[in-house]
């Protein structure tokens, strides 16, 4: 076996496995799969988005986090844009509606191409043309739309009919594309072919960059040539957290998700799960309390990030002295069977995808990407769909377009890696806004504390705390949920499984040394073996 992959679509996973089969390593496979995901999972991610990845190298025993998330545009701009292309689109989710802001001025500095190419340069074994071959073929030949993606296209219909370029792709027959119909991306094959030949410079200062900048300048965008030229892929060390006999590696800022997940795990690790059978009222109560503790602590994290350098902010927030008071609060609440208060959290972009891969040598990649909901247009002649990360109200609490140019935007993306005896044990991450943290927490809890097989751990029912209410996915024992409610915990019982609870596509090495993979069926999860 050359390796295993779990991802958000069969085509994504298959591209990774095919790359492993022709001699590529885990990084080659992850990058090949990511480029395919921008078409196979185009309801969630696009080429013009950004991401965060973590790569574990078994030769050194070290891991590196690649931060290629978006930054604010506008470097070198000497005069304001006369009229920004920026406006709301309303999506009807049934019980509620939500506004998304699209247009050229919703586009933050993209990082996907720069970050993925940097990973190949640092760790890849195959040349870039070989890695991009599956994506180029898919862009040329199209692909059939699966039911999961079709449902999302239908749900987010207004986002995909904003402009003629988007309608050519997603509504070519005068209506939104349906399951079984073939999805094509005009002009994208030529763009990917040129990228394969010219490398990352094609998107930084080459013809793709020139087309993107010309479109921004003509149509009320904010992106400048300096934004693309000066954008840096940050390579940083992960947060290393001891948890039982394991070491959990999590991304530092710009990932607030990694820091907050580390905090939750420190609280949970101090308390333990002994005496709480999985899925029992006690277990649900414990999950509620550690999640609630994190929501109460989050404002202190955000204040620390405003006043301290990032390393000092992380050290303060994860210090035993700071965490211990929250441990005691949870311990008291559990002993008294009395609910602790929770604080509301602003959600971030929910349109996020994740993939995980391990190869036969133990090289492992955890990779999460997003484009928000997309900016609602296609750069003419390129097939390139930009992000709308500047149009996500929850990422900009002080108001749109208020941050200084060049500043990195914070994200909840949390690609995680677990080691045991300095070797790879588990690779996990998720899509889903603030539900990223709860999905990762419960997958880790299921595997590391309850010893579940990976498939069961990933697809077991989940909970998520939103405000004061614990959302319980279908599949929990009704008596356990009844008991939780009797203790005074507000509960929302879901009658189905839902992508609301994340998509924790994961891979692992078992205690016996076997590689295994599990796709999260809430978000079209698929696995492939090479």
């Amino acid at each position: 076996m050359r390796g295993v992959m779990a991802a958000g679509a069969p085509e994504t996973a298959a591209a990774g496995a095919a790359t492993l089969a022709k001699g590529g390593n885990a990084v080659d496979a992850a990058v090949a799969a990511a480029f395919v995901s921008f078409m196979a999972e185009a309801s969630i991610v696009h080429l013009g988005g950004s991401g965060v990845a973590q790569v574990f190298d078994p030769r050194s025993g070290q891991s590196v986090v690649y931060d290629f998330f978006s930054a604010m545009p506008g470097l070198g701009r000497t005069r304001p844009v006369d009229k920004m292309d920026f406006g709301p689109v309303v999506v009807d989710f049934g019980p509620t509606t939500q506004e998304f802001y699209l247009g050229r001025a919703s586009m933050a500095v993209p990082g996907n191409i720069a970050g993925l190419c940097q990973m190949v340069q640092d760790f890849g074994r195959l040349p870039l043309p070989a890695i991009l071959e599956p994506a180029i073929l898919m862009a040329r030949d199209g692909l059939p739309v699966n039911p999961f993606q079709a449902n999302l296209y239908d749900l987010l219909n207004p986002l995909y009919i904003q402009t003629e370029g988007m309608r050519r792709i997603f509504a070519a027959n005068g209506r939104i594309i349906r399951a079984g119909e073939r999805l094509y991306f005009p002009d994208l094959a030529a763009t990917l072919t040129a990228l394969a030949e010219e490398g990352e410079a094609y998107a930084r200062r080459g013809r793709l960059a020139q087309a993107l900048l010309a479109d921004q300048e003509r149509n009320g965008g904010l992106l400048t040539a300096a934004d693309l030229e000066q954008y840096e892929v940050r390579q940083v060390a992960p947060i290393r957290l001891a948890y039982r006999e394991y070491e959990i590696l999590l991304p530092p800022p710009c990932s607030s998700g990694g820091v907050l997940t580390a905090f939750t795990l420190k609280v949970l690790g101090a308390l333990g799960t002994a005496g709480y059978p999985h899925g029992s009222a006690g277990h649900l109560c414990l999950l509620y309390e550690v999640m609630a503790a994190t929501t109460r602590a989050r404002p202190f994290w955000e204040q620390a990030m405003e006043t301290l350098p990032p390393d000092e902010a992380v050290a303060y927030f994860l210090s035993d002295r700071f965490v211990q008071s929250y441990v005691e609060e949870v311990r008291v609440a559990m002993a008294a069977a009395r609910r602790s208060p929770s604080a509301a959290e602003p959600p971030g972009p929910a349109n996020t995808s994740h993939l995980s891969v391990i190869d036969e040598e133990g090289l492992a990649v955890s990779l999460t990407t997003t484009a928000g909901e997309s900016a609602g247009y296609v750069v003419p002649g390129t097939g390139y769909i930009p992000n709308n990360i500047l149009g996500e109200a929850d990422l900009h609490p002080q108001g749109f377009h208020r941050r200084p140019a060049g500043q990195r935007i914070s994200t909840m993306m949390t690609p995680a890696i677990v080691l045991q005896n300095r070797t790879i044990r588990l690779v996990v991450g998720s899509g889903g806004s603030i539900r990223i943290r709860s999905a990762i927490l419960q997958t880790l809890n299921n595997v590391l504390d309850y010893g579940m097989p990976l498939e069961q751990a990933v697809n077991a029912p989940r909970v998520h705390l939103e405000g004061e209410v614990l959302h319980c996915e279908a599949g929990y024992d009704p008596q356990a949920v009844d008991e939780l409610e009797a203790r005074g915990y507000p509960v929302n019982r879901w009658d189905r499984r839902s992508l609301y609870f994340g998509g924790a596509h994961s891979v692992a090495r078992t205690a016996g040394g076997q590689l295994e993979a599990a796709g999260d069926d809430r978000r079209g999860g698929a696995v492939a073996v090479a």
Side-chain angles (χ1 to χ4, degrees), residues 102-114:
L102 310 184
R104 269 72 173 183
S106 75
M107 182 187 182
V109 182
N112 274 340
I113 291 175

Side-chain angles (χ1 to χ4, degrees), residues 79-344:
R79 60 179 180 81
V81 174
D82 293 333
K83 185 179 180 181
M84 290 193 297
D85 177 27
F86 187 77
V89 171
V90 177
V91 174
D92 185 357
F93 289 98
T96 185
T97 60
Q98 186 172 353
E99 272 191 344
F100 300 102
Y101 284 78
L102 310 184
R104 269 72 173 183
S106 75
M107 182 187 182
V109 182
N112 274 340
I113 291 175
L116 296 172
C117 288
Q118 186 67 54
M119 289 168 62
V120 170
Q121 181 177 316
D122 294 346
F123 283 97
R125 182 181 294 163
L126 297 178
L128 190 59
I131 293 169
L132 289 179
E133 183 179 12
I136 293 169
L137 292 175
M138 181 171 289
R140 185 193 69 190
D141 299 336
L143 74 156
V145 175
N146 65 46
F148 175 77
Q149 291 292 322
N151 287 339
L152 285 179
Y153 291 135
D154 186 54
L155 178 67
L156 302 174
N157 187 326
L159 306 175
Y160 295 101
I161 58 173
Q162 283 297 295
T163 59
E164 177 59 30
M166 294 291 275
R167 289 191 291 272
R168 284 179 63 203
I169 297 173
F170 300 106
N173 295 321
R175 52 161 175 77
I176 206 71
I177 196 165
R178 295 173 181 168
E181 295 179 343
R182 206 159 188 86
L183 182 63
Y184 294 96
F185 292 83
D187 304 316
L188 189 56
T191 292
L192 293 174
T193 300
L195 176 63
E197 295 169 351
E198 300 179 31
E200 186 256 350
Y202 177 64
R204 191 181 289 271
R205 64 188 74 91
R207 286 171 293 162
L208 178 57
Q210 293 164 14
L212 176 57
L213 292 168
D215 179 78
Q216 286 271 304
E217 188 66 26
R218 283 194 303 266
N219 296 295
L222 302 172
L223 195 72
T224 68
D227 291 325
L228 297 179
E229 190 65 40
Q230 297 180 36
Y231 180 83
E232 294 183 352
V233 177
R234 297 175 179 171
Q235 298 168 57
V236 295
I239 297 167
R240 307 184 77 100
L241 176 71
Y243 187 86
R244 299 182 59 219
E245 67 266 36
Y246 306 99
E247 186 175 31
I248 302 176
L249 310 181
L250 297 159
C254 71
S255 171
S256 287
V259 180
L260 294 169
T261 300
F263 178 91
T264 312
L265 288 166
K266 287 199 72 167
V267 176
L268 181 62
L271 295 162
T273 57
Y276 303 116
H278 189 275
S280 66
H283 183 217
L284 294 175
C285 181
L286 180 62
L287 290 173
Y288 184 106
E289 291 295 341
V290 297
M291 291 178 187
T294 306
T295 68
R296 296 194 302 273
R298 181 175 176 178
F300 293 95
W301 162 246
E302 292 174 347
Q303 182 181 28
M305 277 298 290
E306 292 292 329
T307 58
L308 297 172
D311 288 350
E312 293 182 23
V314 172
Y316 155 74
F317 187 71
L318 298 181
S319 67
D320 292 341
R321 180 178 180 180
F322 181 78
V323 173
Q324 189 57 37
S325 64
Y326 293 90
V327 173
E328 293 304 320
E329 290 174 0
V330 174
R331 185 173 282 126
V332 168
M334 295 295 294
R338 175 175 47 80
R339 177 174 62 90
S340 299
S342 176

